[in-house]
Every structure is written in C-alpha cells, then in structure tokens.
Amino acid sequence: QVLVDVSGAARVLLAAMVAVAARLVGKRGVFYRLAGEQAKLIDDVSGTLPPYDQFVTLGPERVRQTVEAVRTKLGLPCAVVDVNDLTHIKGKFLVLGKSQGVDEAILRMALLRNPAGNGEQQTPLVLIRHDPARRAELLAAATADEEARTP
C-alpha cells in the first residue's frame, strides 16, 4: 500500500503486469525498475528499529543534497548506499548518491560483504576509512577475496 501511495496505483499495476510478462521470458527485476525509486528501497518491519518496527520504512529523500552537505560541512566524502544481506550473494549494492571524492572501488570493497549486517545489528551508518597509499594493495586483496568466495 505504501508503494501505491507514493508511486500511484496505475504505475504499480502497470509495473506488476509488465513484470509478470517479463518473468515468463526469464527477465527478473522488472517490477522494481518500473514501479518507481521507492520500490527497491522500501524496508519492511523486520529491517527497522522500535518504535518504527511496526511500520514500513521508505528510502531516503534528497540524497544528493545530503551527501553534498556532509562533504561541505565536514570536509569528508560521503555516499548513501543500500546494502543488504543479498549484497554478498549477488555482489551488488545500490549507490543512491555520492559526493565528490568518494572512491567507488574502496566503497565496493568495504561494503560488499555487508559488514554492518541487517539482523539485530540495526546499523544504518557505516564510516569507511582507508590509507590512500595502500589503495592498490587493498583492492588487490579484496579482488582475490571476492574471486575466492565466488563459486
């Protein structure tokens, strides 16, 4: 219902119909691409902290403004990402927004295994720091680790 309220009934219905047809030909994820930005960002009640554990939680708004404000006020690069328990299985996460100075390769290396978790950890904020002088070494180790865990 929340998605219908945010994206509109017609858009959600059309996305569902097209997604069913796409599934019949083996294409997955069509609903989330067509139903609007919030479709892939909505968290259910199991992914939230009390007292919000009784409600569906929408994804963030004004992400670009937020990451730029953090960068400007704190002088630190900032990214807002959607990482979950499927990230380490699928090898993907969603970068919702990033400021200038964010090293996407380091971001991927740091978050690919979802180190903050999604269960009882309830950690919505992760700080990533690295030594720029060791960037190549860190990325090589991460690449080797990712290749070793991928069947």
Side-chain angles (χ1 to χ4, degrees):
Q1 182 61 50
V2 172
L3 184 59
V4 169
D5 292 346
V6 171
S7 294
R11 184 174 186 174
V12 173
L13 180 61
L14 179 64
M17 291 187 308
V18 173
V20 168
R23 271 286 177 104
L24 294 174
V25 295
K27 193 160 189 159
R28 301 175 66 98
V30 172
F31 176 80
Y32 296 102
R33 286 192 292 277
L34 297 179
E37 184 71 23
Q38 287 295 331
K40 56 188 162 207
L41 299 177
I42 290 176
D43 281 335
D44 62 10
V45 295
S46 66
T48 56
L49 292 168
Y52 306 104
D53 57 347
Q54 303 298 311
F55 305 95
V56 172
T57 304
L58 295 171
E61 295 180 353
R62 298 179 304 282
V63 174
R64 286 197 175 123
Q65 296 93 323
T66 301
V67 296
E68 286 305 327
V70 168
R71 184 180 167 282
T72 300
K73 292 180 182 192
L74 300 178
L76 299 170
C78 178
V80 174
V81 299
D82 184 15
V83 180
N84 58 47
D85 289 337
L86 295 176
T87 296
H88 71 281
I89 296 168
K90 293 185 174 188
K92 298 178 187 177
F93 58 87
L94 185 60
V95 177
L96 304 175
K98 64 182 178 127
S99 71
Q100 181 180 354
V102 170
D103 186 328
E104 285 195 57
I106 293 292
L107 192 66
R108 177 177 169 73
M109 175 203 73
L111 297 177
L112 192 58
R113 289 191 175 229
N114 191 19
N118 278 78
E120 293 179 9
Q121 299 93 337
Q122 302 294 324
T123 49
L125 180 66
V126 176
L127 299 177
I128 300 170
R129 295 177 55 192
H130 77 285
D131 179 357
R134 294 186 55 219
R135 182 180 187 276
E137 174 189 344
L138 292 169
L139 293 177
T143 299
D145 181 54
E146 189 173 344
E147 288 171 356
R149 74 170 179 81
T150 305

